[in-house]
């Protein structure tokens, strides 16, 4: 799941700026599949079959053949989860300690990517604008412009002021209550 999430984050950022496969697909990434399905109805089915083939290969590489009841669901002894022998650049370390360190880094980056992808999806569902556009707005615009453009009522002041507002029961400037 971490590898898929890392690809998703990259896909959000790249495809919203320039879609390498479909020139006519534009806007927020959460709408891209719908746009592709309108133009190329069989794309999703072909993609699902390709992913299914890769998963069958992973199952054949990783799991022992269940010729007995005891072998059902048992991993092969020489299989490491996620390692299906695909390493065209030769990045997989041969030293066990280095491999364990790289695997841990991949897990941590995958977890971060899952959070980022969830945030991207949530943000696009809220304001229906591409990620890059929202980031540009948040970085370049002052508070009044953000309020008008995104429809957000952001907290005023710095962190100590916000904390003071929360402690004193002052008017909630974020949710507009």
């Amino acid at each position: 799941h971490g590898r898929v999430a890392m690809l998703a984050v990259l896909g959000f950022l790249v495809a919203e700026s320039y879609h390498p496969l479909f020139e006519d697909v534009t806007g927020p990434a959460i709408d891209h599949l719908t746009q592709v399905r309108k133009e190329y109805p069989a794309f999703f089915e072909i993609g699902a079959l390709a992913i299914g083939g890769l998963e069958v290969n992973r199952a054949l590489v990783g799991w022992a053949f269940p010729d007995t009841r005891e072998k059902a669901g048992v991993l092969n002894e020489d299989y490491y989860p996620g390692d299906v022998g695909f390493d065209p650049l030769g990045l997989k370390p041969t030293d066990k300690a280095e491999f364990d360190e790289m695997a841990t880094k991949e897990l941590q980056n995958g977890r971060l990517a899952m959070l980022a992808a969830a945030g991207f999806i949530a943000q696009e569902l809220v304001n229906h604008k591409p990620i890059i556009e929202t980031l540009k707005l948040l970085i370049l615009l002052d508070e009044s412009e953000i309020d008008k453009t995104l429809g957000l009522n952001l907290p005023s002041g710095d962190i100590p002021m916000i904390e003071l507002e929360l402690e004193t029961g002052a008017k909630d400037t974020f949710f507009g209550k």
Side-chain angles (χ1 to χ4, degrees), residues 106-124:
E106 183 180 24
L107 282 171
Q108 297 299 335
N109 288 326
R111 290 172 181 153
L112 180 63
M114 285 185 242
L115 291 171
F120 286 0
I121 292 167
Q123 175 270 310
E124 287 193 357

Side-chain angles (χ1 to χ4, degrees), residues 5-172:
M6 287 187 270
L7 289 173
V9 168
L10 183 63
F12 264 93
L13 298 174
V14 170
E16 287 183 353
S17 302
Y18 159 76
H19 203 294
L21 300 176
F22 307 104
E23 293 177 9
D24 52 342
V25 174
T26 59
I30 58 172
D31 293 336
H32 286 188
L33 182 59
T34 305
Q35 292 177 40
V36 169
R37 289 202 64 154
K38 284 180 184 174
E39 296 294 321
Y40 312 96
F43 178 79
F44 185 75
E45 287 78 8
I46 292 169
L49 285 173
I51 292 169
L54 292 170
E55 286 297 316
V56 167
N57 177 61
R58 185 178 61 86
L60 293 172
V61 168
W63 276 266
F65 187 77
D67 53 357
T68 65
R69 199 171 196 62
E70 292 77 30
K71 280 192 172 180
V74 175
L75 290 176
N76 285 327
E77 296 206 11
D78 60 342
Y79 175 70
Y80 185 85
D83 184 11
V84 291
F86 181 75
D87 186 20
L89 300 177
L91 298 175
K92 179 181 170 186
T94 54
D95 181 55
K96 174 134 175 61
E98 288 179 19
F99 178 78
D100 289 343
E101 181 180 349
M102 186 178 218
T104 300
K105 288 178 181 178
E106 183 180 24
L107 282 171
Q108 297 299 335
N109 288 326
R111 290 172 181 153
L112 180 63
M114 285 185 242
L115 291 171
F120 286 0
I121 292 167
Q123 175 270 310
E124 287 193 357
L125 287 171
V126 168
N127 70 355
H128 210 70
K129 293 187 184 303
I131 298 297
I132 301 295
E133 184 178 331
T134 301
L135 289 175
K136 285 179 186 174
L137 288 172
L138 291 173
I139 292 170
L140 299 176
L141 299 178
D142 66 11
E143 185 179 321
S144 62
E145 289 296 314
I146 292 173
D147 291 347
K148 286 190 290 188
T149 307
L150 297 179
L152 295 175
N153 188 11
L154 297 174
S156 58
D158 55 359
I159 298 298
M161 185 63 183
I162 295 169
E163 289 174 348
L164 180 62
E165 288 177 359
L166 292 173
E167 290 173 6
T168 58
K171 181 181 176 209
D172 186 345

